[in-house]
Amino acid sequence: GAFSSSSSSSSSSSSSDSSSPSLPPTPAELRARQDVEYQAGLRQDNARRKKEEMKEKEEMQRAIQESILASQEQATAQHEQEVLEKLRQSIPEEPTTTNKSDVKTIQFRFSSGATLKRKFFGETKLRFVRAFVQVEMYKQEGRLVRCAMSTSYPRKSYGEEEDDMILEDTDMFASGHSVSLMVQDLDA
C-alpha cells in the first residue's frame, strides 16, 4: 500500500507540473556551461594575477624609493662629515701664550642655554671663529647649521659676510680682551 500511494502521488505531482522532468544536460549544454565557468574562473585568475603583479610592482617601487632615499641620506651624511672635517681642520689652535695683549676670549652663548669659552689670537678671521661655533653646535645638535653671532650691547651681528674680518678689526673688543657672543641658528 505505501508503495502504490507514493507512486500515485509521484505521478500526480508530475502530471500537475507543466515542465518535463529534468533530463541530464546534452553534451553541447554541458560544454557551454563548462565554458562559461571556465571563462569566469579565468577572469578571476587574471584579476588575482594582475592584483599580485600590481602589489609586486608597488613593493618594488617602494624598495627602489627606499634605496634611493638611503643612498641620498648616506651621501648627505658623508658630505656633512667632509664639511665638518674641513671645519675642524680650519680651526686654529687655542692660544697658550702668556702674552695676553694679542689674545681674545669669547664666551659663546647658545640658544640651548649652553655657554662655552674659547681663546683666539686677535688676527684670527671670523670665518674660523664661526667654524669653531659650527663644530660645537654639531656636537650639541648632531647637525651642521649656519649661524650668526652677535654682541648684546651695543647690539651688532656678525654674519657670513663679515667672515674675512679679523677679530681685532671688529668692534666687539672695544671694551677689553673678552666678549660674550650670542649664537643664533639660522637654520632653526
Side-chain angles (χ1 to χ4, degrees), residues 17 36-37 53 61 97 102 135 139 144 151 158-159 165 171-172:
D17 191 32
V36 167
E37 290 172 359
E53 287 173 1
Q61 287 176 340
T97 181
D102 191 35
V135 168
K139 288 177 187 176
L144 278 176
T151 55
Y158 298 92
M165 292 180 73
D171 296 336
M172 66 176 83

Side-chain angles (χ1 to χ4, degrees), residues 68-118:
I68 290 170
L69 277 174
S71 66
Q72 286 174 339
E73 288 172 0
Q74 183 180 5
T76 301
Q78 183 177 351
H79 178 267
E80 196 172 78
Q81 288 302 315
E82 290 170 2
V83 169
L84 189 63
E85 189 53 36
K86 284 181 184 176
L87 289 171
R88 280 189 185 117
Q89 291 174 1
S90 73
I91 300 170
E93 290 290 319
E94 189 167 11
T96 56
T97 181
T98 54
N99 180 6
K100 299 271 188 197
S101 64
D102 191 35
V103 176
K104 309 296 181 189
T105 302
I106 302 176
Q107 179 169 355
F108 299 97
R109 296 184 183 279
F110 297 92
S111 57
S112 65
T115 61
L116 182 65
K117 268 190 181 177
R118 171 71 151 73

Side-chain angles (χ1 to χ4, degrees), residues 34-45:
Q34 287 174 337
D35 281 349
V36 167
E37 290 172 359
Y38 175 76
Q39 291 299 324
L42 222 101
R43 282 191 298 275
Q44 287 175 343
D45 285 348

Side-chain angles (χ1 to χ4, degrees), residues 10 18 59 67 74 88 92 126 168 170:
S10 159
S18 63
E59 287 174 2
S67 175
Q74 183 180 5
R88 280 189 185 117
L126 274 176
E168 287 179 345
T170 66

